[in-house]
Amino acid sequence: MKRIFLTMAIAAGILVGCQTNEQNPNLEPEIESVADLAALPRADKQCFANDVLNENMAKDAGLKDRMDEIESFTANYVEKVQKGELQSRLVNGKIQIPVVFHVIYKRSSENVSLSTLQGQIEAMNEDFNLQNPNRGALPAEFAGVEANVGIDFVIEDVIRVQNRKKRSWRPNDDMKFSSKGGSDVVNPQEFLNIWVVNYMPYQGGQILGYAQFPGGSWATDGVVMAAPFVGRNQRTATHEVGHWLNLRHIWGDGGCGASDFVADTPDADGNSRGCPSYPTIECGSANMTMNFMDYSDDSCMYMFTNGQKARMEAVFAPGGFRATMAD
């Protein structure tokens, strides 16, 4: 089982996450056509959330302390839920999260349609409410920890910005500021902001998306998605919203023994690819490759666990980082 830490080990686990000898994504060439995009594979790091966190910690001396406080609050909340001292807020009623989409595009033909955005919302609502169409394949071993998170998402607004000079974006939050050709965040203490950009090329591949963990600046709070990975049958948004709700990658961004701070997710030696067969054994147990916080193919991800649900609940609890959304 994953170990849970309440000290600097938490921040250290996050910082270790994705530190490798990678190229600077700002050196990537511009993607100028759909054909150029089709020639690119998915990057080894489909999700860039931990890398952005590392950079933000380097720039913001107080971020580590804020995240330590959030982790301590979360661990305390989870412990009380497990002891039966608190009733889950998401069992008998749902939390509804209004979403503001910021669609940033170069050509009119690249302006993501409302129906595509609505399809993405429908997919997220399936995933957070135990309605994913592929969950019938869930191994019996994990049936006892599968969770109905109980969160609904609704579209609050769609803001569209045409940037005629830029199609390729870097994971540096530029798209979150109108002064940099993007769109400014809207009331992040009440709304989930999701920025949709044309493409995010990286190291010869494509970044699918990234999110900001609880504790970061409100000016950049939210999720960023590359447009090709937004829609009815896409699960990248579910993964990134999981980060936004304080979930880590299922493998703890390390090898065996690394922690995602969830007790009911098995250890894994790394992220999954494709659609792994069950059981895939690592670290002495079967991997939970079908968890939304892994990197398995979209059609092969279909579950959150009770432990992950408790972490997500904690951000909405009184005193939690996103408590105002549950008022």
Side-chain angles (χ1 to χ4, degrees):
M1 306 299 277
K2 301 283 183 169
R3 298 189 301 274
I4 300 176
F5 302 92
L6 300 182
T7 63
M8 266 301 296
I10 294 172
I14 298 168
L15 286 168
V16 167
C18 298
Q19 289 180 347
T20 57
N21 294 323
E22 294 170 326
Q23 300 172 9
N24 184 342
N26 291 321
L27 300 180
E28 294 296 329
E30 283 285 313
I31 299 296
E32 291 299 337
S33 69
V34 174
D36 290 341
L37 177 71
L40 294 178
R42 294 187 178 192
D44 285 342
K45 289 183 183 175
Q46 300 174 22
C47 163
F48 215 71
N50 274 37
D51 299 70
V52 172
L53 175 61
N54 294 346
E55 294 173 4
N56 288 340
M57 280 194 168
K59 293 183 290 187
D60 182 354
L63 179 56
K64 182 190 74 65
D65 289 339
R66 295 197 300 273
M67 292 192 72
D68 282 349
E69 291 176 3
I70 291 170
E71 285 300 337
S72 180
F73 179 90
T74 299
N76 183 56
Y77 179 89
V78 171
E79 182 180 9
K80 288 182 177 180
V81 169
Q82 292 173 340
K83 289 181 177 179
E85 297 175 6
L86 288 176
Q87 181 179 1
S88 169
R89 303 187 66 217
L90 305 182
V91 171
N92 299 318
K94 295 182 180 181
I95 288 178
Q96 187 175 87
I97 297 179
V99 178
V100 174
F101 281 105
H102 305 256
V103 179
I104 306 168
Y105 62 98
K106 186 173 183 180
R107 296 173 182 163
S108 297
S109 60
E110 298 166 335
N111 188 358
V112 178
S113 69
L114 179 60
S115 62
T116 298
L117 300 177
Q118 185 59 52
Q120 182 63 82
I121 291 292
E122 292 170 3
M124 291 161 59
N125 284 340
E126 285 180 347
D127 298 343
F128 283 84
N129 289 280
L130 211 61
Q131 296 174 2
N132 185 281
N134 299 307
R135 58 178 292 265
L138 180 69
E141 175 182 2
F142 301 133
V145 299
E146 184 186 28
N148 182 349
V149 179
I151 296 177
D152 279 337
F153 302 87
V154 296
I155 295 179
E156 174 73 18
D157 195 10
V158 179
I159 299 170
R160 300 181 183 277
V161 175
Q162 186 170 20
N163 186 323
R164 299 179 185 274
K165 297 181 179 180
K166 192 171 186 178
R167 177 177 289 111
S168 300
W169 294 81
R170 314 305 181 208
N172 59 4
D173 288 342
D174 279 359
M175 70 288 293
K176 300 177 181 180
F177 298 95
S178 58
S179 61
K180 297 181 180 181
S183 179
D184 295 330
V185 70
V186 176
N187 198 2
Q189 295 185 10
E190 298 293 338
F191 305 144
L192 162 58
N193 284 253
I194 300 179
W195 287 265
V196 181
V197 300
N198 286 111
Y199 317 124
M200 286 188 284
Y202 174 75
Q203 208 176 7
Q206 307 169 61
I207 294 173
L208 280 63
Y210 70 93
Q212 181 168 295
F213 291 97
S217 169
W218 288 114
T220 52
D221 189 73
V223 168
V224 180
M225 299 287 301
F229 309 106
V230 174
R232 183 63 183 86
N233 297 314
Q234 303 286 342
R235 259 58 205 188
T236 297
T238 298
H239 177 103
E240 299 304 338
V241 171
H243 285 316
W244 181 78
L245 292 173
N246 208 22
L247 297 187
R248 310 298 182 218
H249 287 136
I250 195 75
W251 65 97
D253 291 287
C256 297
S259 181
D260 64 351
F261 316 122
V262 177
D264 59 8
T265 55
D267 275 356
D269 196 33
N271 59 272
S272 302
R273 295 289 185 182
C275 192
S277 59
Y278 173 83
T280 298
I281 305 296
E282 289 181 357
C283 309
S285 60
N287 283 8
M288 193 179 281
T289 61
M290 66 292 302
N291 193 286
F292 287 118
M293 302 313 295
D294 205 339
Y295 277 3
S296 301
D297 287 351
D298 289 348
S299 61
C300 299
M301 293 193 299
Y302 46 79
M303 73 171 294
F304 289 115
T305 70
N306 290 320
Q308 289 173 320
K309 173 181 176 177
R311 280 186 66 84
M312 289 187 273
E313 288 176 359
V315 301
F316 299 115
F321 188 76
R322 305 197 187 283
T324 54
M325 288 189 173
D327 290 343

